[in-house]
C-alpha cells in the first residue's frame, strides 16, 4: 500500500494541470524559429503615388512651360516623361523631377509622367494648351440700306479659331451667335462676322456689342468690343429720292406762303 501512494499523487497532479507540458512546449516553439532563431517579419511593398503639376496649363503659341513630376517612393528606380512636345532642360531632387517643354504650338497636347518603384510603374498626366487671346474686337457702326442695317465685327489675331464663338448683343440680349468650329487651321487668324437684320424704331438707342469667346477644355477667354449706339439718322436714313421730294415740297410751300404774304401787303397799300 505504501508503494502505491507516490504513484497516485503523481496521477492527481497530472489531472489538476492538464496540457501543462504541451503548453510549455508551444511556448518554447514560439520563442524559436527554424534553426533556433527568431523569424524575420514579412516584407510587403508599400503603395506610392505619382503627381504632375500643373495638370492643366495654357500658354501663348510658341511659349514654354515647366512641369514638375513628384512621387512618394523613397527610392525610385526610374522616372520618364512621354510627350510629342520639344524637350528643354531637366532638373531633379529627392522625390521630384522637373521638365521644360519648349515652343508649344499645338492647341492641345497630352503629357505623361512615369515613375518606377520596387518594380511597379505608375504615372500621371497633364494637358498643355496653346492659345492667343484676340488682339482686338472691333464693331463697325451699322450700315443702313433701306429698311435693313448690317453689323460687321472684326476679331483679329486669334488662335485657335476652331474654338471661337462670336456673339452680337443688343441691349444685353443676344441677337446672333456663330460657332467657328469648322475652321481647323493651326495659325493665327483674323475673323470677320457680318450680320444683317431689320431696322425697327423700337430698337433705337440700344447699345450693340460684339463678344469673342475661346472655350479651351475648361479655360474660357473672353474679349468684347466697345458698344455702338445707333442714332435715328444712322439707323434709318431717308432714301435720296424721298429726301429730294421732301425738300421740293418744302420749298414750294415757302413760295406759296411768300406769294400770299406779298399779295396781302399790296392790297393793304392800295387801300
Amino acid at each position: 500500500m505504501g508503494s502505491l501512494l507516490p504513484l497516485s499523487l503523481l496521477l492527481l497532479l497530472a489531472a489538476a494541470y492538464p496540457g501543462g507540458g504541451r503548453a510549455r512546449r508551444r511556448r518554447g516553439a514560439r520563442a524559436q524559429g527554424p534553426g533556433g532563431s527568431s523569424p524575420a517579419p514579412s516584407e510587403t511593398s508599400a503603395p506610392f503615388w505619382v503627381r504632375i503639376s500643373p495638370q492643366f496649363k495654357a500658354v501663348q503659341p510658341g511659349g514654354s512651360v515647366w512641369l514638375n513630376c513628384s512621387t512618394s517612393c523613397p527610392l525610385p528606380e526610374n522616372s520618364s516623361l512621354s510627350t510629342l512636345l520639344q524637350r528643354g532642360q531637366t532638373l531633379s531632387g529627392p522625390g521630384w523631377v522637373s521638365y521644360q517643354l519648349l515652343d508649344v504650338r499645338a492647341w492641345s497636347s497630352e503629357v505623361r509622367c512615369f515613375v518606377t518603384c520596387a518594380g511597379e510603374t505608375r504615372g500621371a498626366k497633364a494637358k498643355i494648351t496653346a492659345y492667343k487671346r484676340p488682339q482686338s474686337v472691333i464693331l463697325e457702326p451699322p450700315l443702313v440700306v433701306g429698311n435693313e442695317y448690317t453689323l460687321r465685327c472684326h476679331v483679329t489675331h486669334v488662335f485657335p479659331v476652331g474654338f471661337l464663338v462670336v456673339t452680337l448683343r443688343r441691349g444685353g440680349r443676344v441677337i446672333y451667335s456663330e460657332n467657328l468650329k469648322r475652321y481647323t487651321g493651326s495659325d493665327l487668324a483674323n475673323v470677320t462676322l457680318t450680320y444683317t437684320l431689320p431696322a425697327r424704331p423700337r430698337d433705337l438707342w440700344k447699345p450693340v456689342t460684339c463678344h469673342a469667346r475661346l472655350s479651351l477644355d475648361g479655360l474660357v477667354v473672353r474679349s468684347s468690343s466697345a458698344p455702338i449706339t445707333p442714332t435715328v439718322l444712322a439707323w434709318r436714313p431717308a432714301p435720296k429720292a424721298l429726301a429730294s421730294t421732301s425738300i421740293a415740297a418744302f420749298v414750294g410751300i415757302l413760295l406759296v406762303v411768300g406769294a400770299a404774304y406779298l399779295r396781302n401787303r399790296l392790297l393793304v397799300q392800295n387801300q
Side-chain angles (χ1 to χ4, degrees):
M1 223 23 219
S3 60
L4 295 176
L5 185 57
L7 179 59
S8 26
L9 288 176
L10 290 174
L11 293 174
L12 289 174
L13 290 173
Y17 299 98
R22 290 193 301 272
R24 284 191 297 271
R25 285 193 297 271
R26 284 198 298 271
R27 284 194 296 270
R30 283 198 301 268
Q32 292 183 344
S37 61
S38 300
S42 60
E43 296 183 358
T44 58
S45 58
F48 69 101
W49 48 257
V50 176
R51 295 172 184 165
I52 192 169
S53 177
Q55 292 181 324
F56 178 83
K57 182 68 175 179
V59 299
Q60 298 282 337
S64 62
V65 62
W66 281 91
L67 293 180
N68 183 68
C69 183
S70 58
T71 179
S72 62
C73 176
L75 295 173
E77 301 170 13
N78 184 38
S79 62
S80 61
L81 192 73
S82 174
T83 179
L84 296 177
L85 298 174
Q86 181 181 343
R87 297 273 294 271
Q89 302 180 55
T90 301
L91 304 176
S92 62
W96 62 270
V97 181
S98 288
Y99 303 93
Q100 185 186 30
L101 304 177
L102 304 173
D103 195 26
V104 181
R105 294 189 179 275
W107 77 266
S108 182
S109 301
E110 190 174 270
V111 181
R112 292 182 177 270
C113 166
F114 297 97
V115 174
T116 302
C117 182
E120 182 180 356
T121 301
R122 296 187 179 183
K125 65 179 181 179
K127 180 169 287 188
I128 309 300
T129 295
Y131 80 98
K132 174 65 170 63
R133 179 189 297 273
Q135 180 175 324
S136 61
V137 180
I138 303 171
L139 179 63
E140 293 183 4
L143 176 64
V144 182
V145 178
N147 294 328
E148 293 183 336
Y149 70 95
T150 300
L151 293 172
R152 186 170 285 111
C153 178
H154 304 280
V155 182
T156 64
H157 292 85
V158 60
F159 176 83
V161 178
F163 292 80
L164 180 67
V165 177
V166 181
T167 303
L168 294 173
R169 293 177 178 269
R170 182 178 57 205
R173 182 178 180 181
V174 175
I175 57 177
Y176 183 72
S177 183
E178 185 170 345
N179 191 320
L180 303 178
K181 60 183 178 181
R182 64 183 179 274
Y183 294 96
T184 58
S186 58
D187 297 322
L188 290 172
N190 298 324
V191 176
T192 298
L193 174 68
T194 302
Y195 183 65
T196 301
L197 68 162
R200 299 175 298 185
R202 66 181 183 182
D203 294 325
L204 291 175
W205 307 109
K206 292 182 179 179
V208 181
T209 51
C210 180
H211 304 266
R213 184 181 78 248
L214 280 173
S215 298
L216 304 170
D217 295 339
L219 174 68
V220 179
V221 180
R222 292 183 172 90
S223 301
S224 302
S225 71
I228 297 293
T229 303
T231 62
V232 176
L233 294 178
W235 191 271
R236 196 171 185 176
K240 291 183 179 180
L242 179 60
S244 300
T245 303
S246 300
I247 293 173
F250 180 71
V251 172
I253 293 173
L254 290 178
L255 291 175
V256 171
V257 172
Y261 176 75
L262 291 175
R263 181 180 179 183
N264 291 335
R265 289 293 301 271
L266 291 174
L267 289 175
V268 170
Q269 289 178 359
N270 291 333
Q271 293 177 357

